[in-house]
Amino acid sequence: MQIATPIDAAQSIPAPQGDRRGLIAACTAHALHDGYTDALYAFLPVWQAQFGLSYAELAVIRALYSGTMGGLQIPADRALRSLSSRAALVLSTLVAAAGLLIIALPFGFAGLCLGLLLAGVGSSIQHPRGSLLVTDSYGENARRPLGIYNFSGDLGKAMLPALVAVLLPLLAWRPIMALMAALGVVTAAALMRLAPTRVASVEAKPTRAGEGRGGFVILTIIGALDTATRMGYLLFLPFLIHTQHGDSPVVGLALALLFIGGAFGKAVCGWLGERFGVVGSVVVTEAATAVLIAATLITPLPATLVLLPLLGIVLNGTSSVLYGTVPELTTGNTGRAFAVFYTSVISSGGVAPIIYGAIGDHTSQTTGMLATATTAALIVPLVMMLRPYLRSPGPSCATAT
């Protein structure tokens, strides 16, 4: 089966050439930055051994990147609104690469923390401006291009962590980090040619029946809890694989299987949305997430590897439905709404693993992972509150990061 790349998918959409170039540029940046984000998980066991960190301390270190990336979404969107899309995406990529370069240099634990903070600043620019570029390029027809844009992030999540895990047994971790920084510089150079130079602008739109702040707030809370589940599980997954007697390459394989399943979940989300709508899709994916997380705790390594793609489908499937619903529940500037939604879910992804890590430190790894499964189950009753705010009971599904 041939898998379409973001570029192939972008070229299949009937749109002006400038629109396709903008989508390809946004997809390229998104794949790199999401690859950066999830490749860091492969380094966690190495950093734990080198710096003597607990699970909670690892989560704090991880939050230096994800928390900065999440917390600066809205300020970055405001500060760089006057820049062209090309300048914003190139700046984002170069700043993130600079952060990884600092980590690669022999500056010790302080350099690791400083580099993660700087890389988080760079990635905070990419998310709202990439989404805004696609929305600005396609207007009311942006739902499918936004799906392609977000699917490109899953390609980065699938490939870069696996590549890092394969290289770790062959090279020291600092040279690998330097190679990741070099990849960012090459991508920034490519974006100089791909991205359009025009300044993106999205006008505020009038409120429609069924929309309202309450619905968007509920949607954002659900998105935060869903992200907490995903990031909490990812915190423990490398250690779960080691507990099941898997080495570093197997950890990379496990991450890749989970992320490939997540990418496939984008398509499955469309199937679920057609049959169950937004509420029904979320109920199915979150219930399945809770069950599959618990299952990976009791299966041997081969069975866990078989379950991980299935878990990836539902683990990312919910975010697909939620992200595609953001424009429906937006009462003002769509670009700002995306920035607010990204702020909530990414900040949750930074803070929640600290809580789960503390639970694991004070109880056990198993209890910490069961806490993530419980969070997924708690979303099921919460999503029922969203039904009155939806414009129609029909299907609504797009993809998300």
Side-chain angles (χ1 to χ4, degrees), residues 70 73-74 128 216 220 334-346:
Q73 297 283 318
I74 296 175
F216 182 73
T220 303
T334 302
R336 177 174 174 80
F338 277 122
V340 171
F341 190 79
Y342 274 125
T343 298
S344 174
V345 299
I346 296 175

Side-chain angles (χ1 to χ4, degrees), residues 86-103:
R86 179 172 67 179
L89 291 178
V90 169
L91 176 64
S92 169
T93 304
L94 288 177
V95 171
L100 298 186
L101 181 60
I102 291 175
I103 297 174

Side-chain angles (χ1 to χ4, degrees), residues 12 37 41 73 98-99 119 145 152 160 220-221 230 253 287 298 303 323 335 366 382 396:
S12 69
T37 299
Y41 285 105
Q73 297 283 318
S152 69
L160 200 52
T220 303
I221 293 172
R230 183 165 55 256
L253 174 62
I298 60 176
Y323 189 88
T366 298
L382 183 60
S396 176

Side-chain angles (χ1 to χ4, degrees), residues 30-357:
H30 197 197
L32 177 77
H33 285 266
D34 273 24
Y36 278 173
T37 299
D38 287 354
L40 296 179
Y41 285 105
F43 292 98
L44 292 182
V46 179
W47 292 339
Q48 183 186 49
Q50 179 163 346
F51 300 110
L53 304 174
S54 67
Y55 288 136
E57 289 169 339
L58 278 176
V60 171
I61 294 300
R62 181 70 174 75
L64 292 176
Y65 176 88
S66 58
T68 302
M69 178 174 61
L72 295 181
Q73 297 283 318
I74 296 175
D77 178 62
R78 290 177 176 174
L80 301 179
R81 187 162 295 178
S82 61
L83 291 182
S84 69
S85 298
R86 179 172 67 179
L89 291 178
V90 169
L91 176 64
S92 169
T93 304
L94 288 177
V95 171
L100 298 186
L101 181 60
I102 291 175
I103 297 174
L105 296 175
F107 293 150
F109 185 71
L112 172 63
C113 296
L114 177 61
L116 288 172
L117 284 170
L118 186 59
V121 171
S123 290
S124 74
I125 300 170
Q126 183 274 143
H127 271 118
R129 289 309 299 265
S131 299
L132 189 59
L133 171 60
V134 177
T135 304
D136 182 63
S137 297
Y138 288 88
E140 295 182 355
N141 299 317
R143 176 172 288 271
R144 185 184 176 198
L146 276 172
I148 297 171
Y149 163 74
N150 287 294
F151 172 73
S152 69
D154 283 89
L155 293 180
K157 291 177 183 179
M159 293 186 293
L160 200 52
L163 177 61
V164 169
V166 168
L167 292 176
L168 277 174
L170 306 176
L171 300 172
W173 69 270
R174 292 186 188 276
I176 297 174
M177 193 67 69
L179 289 174
M180 291 172 60
L183 179 61
V185 174
V186 172
T187 302
L191 291 173
M192 287 292 293
R193 298 182 60 87
L194 285 174
T197 58
R198 66 181 182 276
V199 177
S201 61
V202 175
E203 298 179 355
K205 61 181 182 180
T207 303
R208 296 191 298 256
E211 293 181 338
R213 178 174 176 81
F216 182 73
V217 170
I218 295 172
L219 181 74
T220 303
I221 293 172
I222 294 172
L225 292 176
D226 176 65
T227 300
T229 300
R230 183 165 55 256
M231 296 306 179
Y233 185 77
L234 284 170
L235 172 68
F236 291 111
L237 179 57
F239 304 100
L240 174 66
I241 299 301
H242 282 309
T243 300
Q244 297 177 345
H245 309 293
D247 54 14
S248 292
V250 178
V251 170
L253 174 62
L255 289 170
L257 289 172
L258 187 72
F259 297 139
I260 290 171
F264 183 68
K266 305 304 195 235
V268 172
C269 170
W271 182 83
L272 289 175
E274 290 176 359
R275 288 156 178 78
F276 302 108
V278 172
V279 174
S281 297
V282 173
V283 169
V284 170
T285 56
E286 292 296 354
T289 295
V291 170
L292 288 172
I293 287 177
T296 60
L297 294 174
I298 60 176
T299 52
L301 180 59
T304 298
L305 295 177
V306 172
L307 289 177
L308 284 176
L310 301 176
L311 177 57
I313 290 173
V314 293
L315 200 61
N316 273 4
T318 302
S319 63
S320 300
V321 180
L322 300 178
Y323 189 88
T325 311
V326 169
E328 181 176 340
L329 298 179
T330 299
T331 58
N333 188 298
T334 302
R336 177 174 174 80
F338 277 122
V340 171
F341 190 79
Y342 274 125
T343 298
S344 174
V345 299
I346 296 175
S347 297
S348 171
V351 175
I354 300 176
I355 300 174
Y356 294 128

